Amino acid sequence: MAKLSLFERRRRRVRTALKARSGGRPRLSVHRTGRHIYAQIIDDAQGHTVAAANTLGAKGTDTDAAVRVGKELAEAAKKAGITSVVFDRGGFLFHGRVKALAEAAREGGLEF
């Protein structure tokens, strides 16, 4: 079996911990690329995406765009009737754009 990358090991560790303490709450999953950031709220029990937002077509600095995505996602979650989620950062470290998105989602009314 090939060795896993540091990113993949972090991702598996985070996902395993989330499954243990999710308590049936939907998962706020974040994916970050060099140019964009994507976030979606996933209901794992049903197997479908409840709300999603991304920076495609957005202008501004990276962290400002991430803040916008967090606020948009929080608004979409409210419309779907979701107030509490589990934050799944994947293998990404919790700083910079990922942290900005999380804080904006909290300000928008999501609890995690």
Side-chain angles (χ1 to χ4, degrees):
M1 187 161 111
K3 285 189 176 181
L4 298 174
S5 67
L6 291 174
F7 178 85
E8 185 63 26
R9 289 196 316 211
R10 261 196 316 269
R11 187 183 73 80
R12 286 188 181 188
R13 185 173 59 234
V14 167
R15 188 73 48 87
T16 303
L18 286 180
K19 286 180 183 176
R21 60 189 159 120
S22 69
R25 292 181 291 174
R27 176 168 52 101
L28 191 162
S29 178
V30 175
H31 180 71
R32 178 178 60 84
T33 65
R35 289 186 180 175
H36 299 287
I37 191 161
Y38 307 85
Q40 56 184 350
I41 297 177
I42 304 164
D43 184 2
D44 289 320
Q46 301 276 328
H48 71 279
T49 301
V50 178
N54 58 53
T55 58
L56 296 175
K59 298 195 183 218
T61 65
D62 291 338
T63 53
D64 291 340
V67 167
R68 230 175 329 198
V69 169
K71 289 180 181 178
E72 287 176 17
L73 190 67
E75 290 175 14
K78 279 184 183 177
K79 288 180 184 175
I82 294 173
T83 57
S84 180
V85 296
V86 205
F87 188 72
D88 178 12
R89 63 182 174 86
F92 303 104
L93 299 178
F94 190 78
H95 67 90
R97 291 185 286 159
V98 176
K99 185 176 181 180
L101 187 145
E103 289 174 351
R106 282 187 181 122
E107 289 174 9
L110 283 178
E111 295 177 12
F112 54 91

